[in-house]
C-alpha cells in the first residue's frame, strides 16, 4: 500500500536538500542517501538506492508517479517539485 503522505514527506525533504545544495536534479542513490540521513527511509548498503527505487517502481506501475520524477533509460531522475510548470488552460468559446 502506498502512503501518499509519506511520499509528500520524501518530496519535501528532497526539495529542501536540492535547494540547500544548489542542485536541480538528483539520482535515486543520492536521494535515498539523503532520506536515510533525515531518518525517513533506510538505505541498503550493498545496494545503494534500492529501497527508493522499489517505491518509485511501485508508484510508476500504479500510475501515481509524481511529475517531477522520471525513469529514463534505466535511471531515475528527481527534480525539484516546485519547478514543474503547470499546463496553461485556455478556454475556447
Amino acid at each position: 500500500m502506498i502512503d501518499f503522505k509519506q511520499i509528500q514527506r520524501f518530496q519535501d525533504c528532497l526539495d529542501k536538500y536540492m535547494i540547500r545544495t544548489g542542485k536541480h536534479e538528483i539520482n535515486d542513490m543520492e536521494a535515498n542517501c539523503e532520506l536515510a540521513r533525515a531518518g525517513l527511509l533506510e538505505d541498503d548498503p550493498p545496494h545503494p538506492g534500492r529501497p527508493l527505487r522499489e517505491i518509485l517502481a511501485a508508484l510508476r506501475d500504479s500510475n501515481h508517479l509524481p511529475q517531477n520524477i522520471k525513469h529514463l533509460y534505466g535511471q531515475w531522475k528527481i527534480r525539484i517539485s516546485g519547478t514543474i510548470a503547470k499546463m496553461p488552460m485556455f478556454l475556447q468559446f
Side-chain angles (χ1 to χ4, degrees), residues 5-60:
K5 290 182 181 181
Q6 182 83 8
I7 300 301
Q8 186 61 43
R9 284 191 294 253
F10 288 173
Q11 280 194 340
D12 292 341
C13 176
L14 294 175
D15 284 348
K16 290 176 186 175
Y17 168 74
M18 286 187 272
I19 290 169
R20 186 175 68 241
T21 59
K23 297 180 179 181
H24 298 287
E25 184 176 86
I26 58 175
N27 63 10
D28 54 337
M29 289 189 292
E30 186 176 359
N32 205 153
C33 181
E34 178 58 26
L35 291 173
R37 190 188 65 75
L40 295 175
L41 181 66
E42 289 295 319
D43 201 1
D44 187 10
H47 307 285
R50 179 186 236 172
L52 183 60
R53 280 193 299 271
E54 290 175 355
I55 292 171
L56 295 176
L59 286 171
R60 180 195 60 205

Side-chain angles (χ1 to χ4, degrees), residues 54-88:
E54 290 175 355
I55 292 171
L56 295 176
L59 286 171
R60 180 195 60 205
D61 293 344
S62 65
N63 204 23
H64 288 105
L65 192 64
Q67 286 183 339
N68 64 315
I69 302 173
K70 300 289 182 199
H71 187 232
L72 299 170
Y73 307 112
Q75 295 180 351
W76 289 99
K77 298 293 183 182
I78 303 169
R79 304 189 93 202
I80 297 176
S81 63
T83 61
I84 303 300
K86 305 292 187 238
M87 182 178 284

